[in-house]
Amino acid sequence: MHDEKLVIAVRLPAQPLRRSRTNLVPALFLLPAGIGIGTFVIVPAVLSLAASFFSVPLTGGAWTWVGLANYEHVLTDAAVLQAIGNTIVYSVITIVPSLGIGLCLALLANSVVRGRAFVRTALFLPMTANLVAMAVVFRWLFAFQGGFINQVLGFAGFGAVNWLGDTSTSLLTLAMVGVWRSASFSMMIFFAGLATVPGTIHEATRAEGIRGWTKLTRITLPIMKPTVVFATVVAVLGSIQVFDTVNVMTQGGPQGASETILTMTWKLGFGYFDLGAASALSFLLLVVLVGIGLIQRRVLAGGHK
């Protein structure tokens, strides 16, 4: 009896050490990601915030304190305000269609019986494509001279349209490309959300004769509320941060008609060499994105309650 107590007394101190080793393993796995996030996200964000209050010479040298002058500049500059307005219009044009098309494609992929794997793969392919490469392809498709779209219009008896070179059509053309891209990602999110609907729900609605639009709006979408909110937030964030397609297809032209917040930020910093104003604009964009994330969290928390 005394020997057993002695063995227990000897082994007990080893348990905290074993627990500490167990807790250390996840930290070691997270360490590379933490270093990457700290180096390429947190540190640049802090430097950008600091630079927004200074005049930063691109060639080096001391930073000059200017206070809120950079924020005043970006909030009163006509070109920046035009870029903000274009971003809002672009978002309005792309978000709702991409969500609607994505939901329809998810329902289609979920309902297909034969060739389901092929249909799912085909619908998801736009999301896997390199966006810069696809922007080059779309620039050729919408080219004024020799573009495929204008050639089709010519065969149909219509005149050529300067899709990317006209102030009235450039942003709309970019929005169509944005819908093509975003709808694929929305489809993937909705398709995953449809898998969370219990099979008993489908059986009950089938027994009650509830189908089609009524089932979708009264039963399926309410159950998928977290998925719908997440897909909406992702679509909003993607539309606000559009850069690649604009930079490749129009570079913000003509006359700033397709300029967005990120392309204007890039021009301020590396085109006009005004790093302070670029930092101020990027920090304002960061505040908006964080605000959208907080709204999403609050909506999801309310739905959970």
Side-chain angles (χ1 to χ4, degrees):
M1 185 69 178
H2 294 289
D3 294 340
E4 293 179 357
K5 291 182 178 180
L6 180 60
V7 171
I8 294 173
V10 172
R11 290 181 177 177
L12 279 177
Q15 292 179 358
L17 180 60
R18 188 177 300 172
R19 288 180 180 178
S20 64
R21 290 178 178 176
T22 303
N23 295 333
L24 185 61
V25 173
L28 292 177
F29 279 107
L30 293 175
L31 183 60
I35 294 175
I37 293 174
T39 303
F40 299 104
V41 177
I42 297 178
V43 173
V46 172
L47 290 176
S48 178
L49 174 60
S52 66
F53 298 100
F54 290 86
S55 175
V56 183
L58 194 63
T59 56
W63 293 12
T64 304
W65 173 264
V66 296
L68 298 176
N70 289 324
Y71 291 93
E72 181 181 359
H73 169 63
V74 298
L75 292 176
T76 56
D77 185 83
V80 176
L81 294 178
Q82 183 184 18
I84 295 174
N86 290 339
T87 304
I88 295 174
V89 173
Y90 177 90
S91 300
V92 172
I93 297 175
T94 57
I95 292 173
V96 175
S98 64
L99 291 175
I101 295 174
L103 179 60
C104 292
L105 293 178
L107 293 172
L108 173 63
N110 194 55
S111 63
V112 172
V113 178
R114 294 184 177 180
R116 177 176 294 183
F118 172 77
V119 172
R120 294 175 181 176
T121 303
L123 295 177
F124 185 64
L125 277 179
M127 191 60 207
T128 63
N130 183 279
L131 191 55
V132 175
M134 294 309 301
V136 174
V137 173
F138 277 111
R139 186 176 61 182
W140 169 75
L141 289 174
F142 289 103
F144 181 60
Q145 295 181 346
F148 177 75
I149 303 298
N150 280 334
Q151 289 183 8
V152 172
L153 291 177
F155 284 125
F158 297 97
V161 178
N162 193 0
W163 298 98
L164 301 175
D166 194 318
T167 56
S168 61
T169 58
S170 58
L171 189 62
L172 178 61
T173 304
L174 292 173
M176 289 190 289
V177 178
V179 170
W180 170 85
R181 173 74 172 187
S182 183
S184 177
F185 192 59
S186 298
M187 183 274 297
M188 181 189 68
I189 297 175
F190 285 126
F191 185 78
L194 289 172
T196 64
V197 180
T200 54
I201 298 295
H202 297 295
E203 295 175 2
T205 55
R206 192 180 303 111
E208 294 293 333
I210 303 174
R211 293 181 177 83
W213 180 256
T214 303
K215 177 184 176 182
L216 178 64
T217 56
R218 298 293 181 86
I219 299 175
T220 305
L221 289 181
I223 295 176
M224 292 172 52
K225 180 182 177 182
T227 303
V228 175
V229 173
F230 178 71
T232 303
V233 171
V234 169
V236 172
L237 296 179
S239 62
I240 293 177
Q241 299 180 87
V242 61
F243 175 80
D244 295 339
T245 53
V246 178
N247 197 45
V248 172
M249 295 179 66
T250 64
Q251 296 183 346
Q255 301 176 14
S258 61
E259 199 80 73
T260 62
I261 294 177
L262 282 186
T263 58
M264 176 54 67
T265 302
W266 185 87
K267 284 184 179 180
L268 286 174
F270 302 103
Y272 307 142
F273 307 113
D274 193 347
L275 294 180
S279 299
L281 185 57
S282 63
F283 181 72
L284 291 175
L285 177 61
L286 176 63
V287 171
V288 173
L289 297 179
V290 171
I292 294 174
L294 293 176
I295 293 173
Q296 176 204 15
R297 182 176 180 182
R298 186 169 183 176
V299 171
L300 292 179
H304 178 72
K305 292 178 182 179

